[in-house]
Amino acid sequence: MTIAPGLLPEGLRDRLPPEAEAASRLMHRVIVAIGRHGYERVSPPLAEFEESLVGRLKSSRPQDLLRMVDPVSQRMLALRPDITAQIGRIAATRMGHAPRPLRLAYGGPVIKLRATQLRPERELAQAGAELIGSDSVAAVSEILRVALDALAAAGVTDITVDLTLPDLVDTLAGGAWPVDPADVSRVRALLDAKDAGGLAAAGADAYLPLLSAAGPLDRALPKLRALDQAQMLDTRLSAIETIAAAIGDGVALTLDPTERHGFEYQSWIGFSLFGGGLAGEIGRGGSYTIVHGNGQEEAAVGFSLFIDPLVDIGLGVEPARRVFLPVGHDAAAAAALRRDGWTTVAALSEKDQPHGCTHILDADEPRTF
């Protein structure tokens, strides 16, 4: 069976002008904005040994990995579906000696094993930051402010932060609302799916009110406090209030306490980021735990942003300033234009036309057509 010329695997695509340049520009803006907060950039490889990708973050699972056998070592390799685990490896090994808190930034492509209906692409550009050594309220507040600054630098407006409590069920099941340990995973899944009937059938009626404790933070938080008669979540909810105050009024804040999808390795808090005019989340983050080689656990918090949705709605595209250079043009004048930020396109023959150019070099000055 032959493959049609130019056909790409499902979920992969070419970025053409001007989107390819816009993607590069947005990645740069996001990384620079993150770096302004003291986060230093690292650049891990696109592929590494499978066990390194799945064993560094506590509660992470070997899913969504595109695997292959390394012809050199004969060991199983995997293309990274996310960069966070690689940052965890770097923090625990190559930078294990570095003072904490350790602030690292990254940007690059990731490859998913499968696409979703909402996001059909399997290759994505991801950028983000990780704060290693703390998952305190102050650390979470900082990482959220960094994420918001990065999105603002990319041109995203009308930002919404949706907070969640990934280990909520585990906390309640071991105390005020007991659940058989064998059924905890099922209850988590039913809550994540907002399946009220399934919860009732599973004998987890106590968890039903959690489904209505979601929405704008100023309304959802009092509902959750009212349900927490034993005050098992008091510290957690107070932390959310502090984080909300630190973020300020510039963004919308919502709370979905039972959301678990995509937060499999997050610990006490997670968040999704949304923007005006964008379908689906454009970023995700939260607290998690890095496991060192000796079994020691280290707290961390971070976020990842997805660049492709921003490109798809036209962000990062700048007006063209392209000047056509006729045959025999003044080379010094053309060099001066490039230093001033112009893009020059030189004719190779008298037959060449100024396609895509906005100006033509007339003597030593650009002139519009």
Side-chain angles (χ1 to χ4, degrees), residues 20-21 73 119 123 204 208 223 225 233 248 252 293 298 303 328 365-366:
E21 187 171 347
S73 66
R119 182 160 288 153
E123 180 183 15
L208 285 170
K223 289 181 181 179
R225 281 197 180 279
L233 305 176
E298 184 174 25
F303 69 87
E365 292 290 332

Side-chain angles (χ1 to χ4, degrees), residues 171-354:
T171 301
L172 294 174
W177 302 356
V179 172
D180 189 297
D183 295 330
V184 170
S185 295
R186 183 185 177 194
V187 172
R188 281 200 304 254
L190 291 169
L191 283 168
D192 199 14
K194 309 295 187 284
D195 187 349
L199 286 169
D205 304 71
Y207 289 82
L208 285 170
L210 291 175
L211 297 179
S212 62
L217 187 64
D218 58 350
R219 294 202 296 267
L221 207 54
K223 289 181 181 179
L224 202 52
R225 281 197 180 279
L227 295 173
D228 185 29
Q229 297 295 324
Q231 296 187 319
M232 293 189 65
L233 305 176
D234 187 62
T235 301
R236 192 85 52 89
L237 300 182
S238 296
I240 290 178
E241 290 176 331
T242 303
I243 292 167
I247 293 174
D249 300 326
V251 299
L253 286 169
T254 60
L255 175 66
D256 187 347
T258 65
E259 176 69 31
R260 281 275 305 173
H261 182 68
F263 294 100
E264 287 80 9
Y265 63 79
Q266 268 75 23
S267 53
W268 74 270
I269 192 168
F271 56 85
S272 295
L273 301 163
F274 301 86
L278 290 150
E281 63 182 13
I282 52 173
R284 176 179 294 172
S287 60
Y288 59 95
T289 301
I290 297 172
V291 181
H292 289 247
N294 60 2
Q296 178 186 350
E297 296 184 357
E298 184 174 25
V301 61
F303 69 87
S304 297
L305 303 179
F306 312 125
I307 303 299
D308 297 272
L310 312 185
V311 179
D312 292 339
I313 65 166
L315 295 180
V317 177
E318 294 185 351
R321 298 178 67 215
R322 296 168 65 88
V323 58
F324 181 70
L325 307 178
V327 172
H329 64 272
D330 186 333
L337 288 173
R338 287 190 290 271
R339 286 194 296 271
D340 289 340
W342 287 82
T343 298
T344 62
V345 180
L348 301 179
S349 73
E350 296 288 353
K351 296 180 180 179
D352 284 4
Q353 298 296 312

Side-chain angles (χ1 to χ4, degrees), residues 44-45 48 52 56-57 84-95 290:
E48 57 180 275
S52 296
R56 191 57 65 182
L57 302 186
T84 304
Q86 294 183 297
I87 305 301
R89 172 184 56 77
I90 290 172
T93 57
R94 305 289 299 278
M95 301 189 73
I290 297 172

Side-chain angles (χ1 to χ4, degrees), residues 62-151:
Q63 59 184 2
D64 211 18
L65 295 179
L66 189 58
R67 300 171 174 86
M68 69 204 76
V69 176
D70 178 15
V72 177
S73 66
Q74 296 299 306
R75 296 172 64 186
M76 190 64 72
L77 298 182
L79 297 175
R80 63 187 183 200
D82 179 81
I83 303 179
T84 304
Q86 294 183 297
I87 305 301
R89 172 184 56 77
I90 290 172
T93 57
R94 305 289 299 278
M95 301 189 73
H97 64 286
R100 268 45 176 177
L102 177 64
R103 294 175 170 87
L104 299 177
Y106 61 85
V110 297
I111 302 290
K112 303 288 187 180
L113 179 63
R114 298 179 183 86
T116 65
Q117 188 172 8
L118 187 61
R119 182 160 288 153
E121 302 85 9
R122 293 166 59 204
E123 180 183 15
L124 302 169
Q126 185 185 80
E130 309 296 333
L131 198 162
I132 315 297
S134 175
D135 66 350
S136 67
V137 171
V140 175
S141 299
E142 175 179 306
I143 210 74
L144 270 168
R145 286 194 297 267
V146 175
L148 295 174
D149 280 359
L151 288 175

